[in-house]
Amino acid sequence: QVQLVESGGGLVQPGGSLRLSCAASGSIFSINYMGWYRQAPGKERELVAHFTRGGSTAYAESVKGRFTLSRDNDKNVYLQMDSLKPEDTAVYYCTMGRFSYVTDYWGKGILVTVSS
């Protein structure tokens, strides 16, 4: 089993920044997919950012230029969120998988609230 734990969420004013972290533990044999999703109240879960098969990053149009995805090994992935907007308010979920674009594992989610 693989456990994912997110941290770094909270309340921030519009225009502010937060950095989400996700740490994986457990039986990690081969992680080939990492990304972040979010779910706003009353909406479906959506992809925010992920690493593509070639190792580059891809972002939802709504966060391009404001969010930055990074990782430091197969166990930790980060989402730097700048110039936050109220519409970024959501529960953010870290996800990882054994194969490209396959979400085998999910964190419990962490709340990000952007409000003045």
Side-chain angles (χ1 to χ4, degrees):
Q1 279 286 36
V2 174
Q3 296 80 40
L4 304 180
V5 178
E6 302 101 337
S7 61
L11 173 64
V12 64
Q13 293 186 343
S17 298
L18 283 175
R19 186 179 190 238
L20 302 183
S21 299
C22 176
S25 62
S27 303
I28 302 173
F29 298 108
S30 179
I31 296 294
N32 288 293
Y33 181 72
M34 292 179 164
W36 289 90
Y37 282 67
R38 69 184 180 186
Q39 187 166 18
K43 296 187 177 181
E44 294 187 353
R45 191 174 297 189
E46 64 175 359
L47 175 67
V48 177
H50 65 177
F51 290 100
T52 65
R53 185 175 284 115
S56 59
T57 53
Y59 299 90
E61 283 295 326
S62 59
V63 307
K64 276 184 180 178
R66 299 188 298 119
F67 289 12
T68 304
L69 182 66
S70 64
R71 63 186 175 189
D72 55 16
N73 51 40
D74 285 342
K75 293 186 178 182
N76 298 307
V77 62
Y78 308 95
L79 187 67
Q80 177 66 40
M81 305 186 295
D82 299 315
S83 302
L84 282 161
K85 304 176 180 180
E87 50 264 44
D88 294 318
T89 295
V91 176
Y92 284 72
Y93 297 90
C94 171
T95 183
M96 296 187 186
R98 295 166 294 166
F99 305 99
S100 295
Y101 310 116
V102 174
T103 54
D104 291 308
Y105 315 111
W106 291 89
K108 292 182 178 181
I110 192 162
L111 179 63
V112 171
T113 303
V114 184
S115 175
S116 55

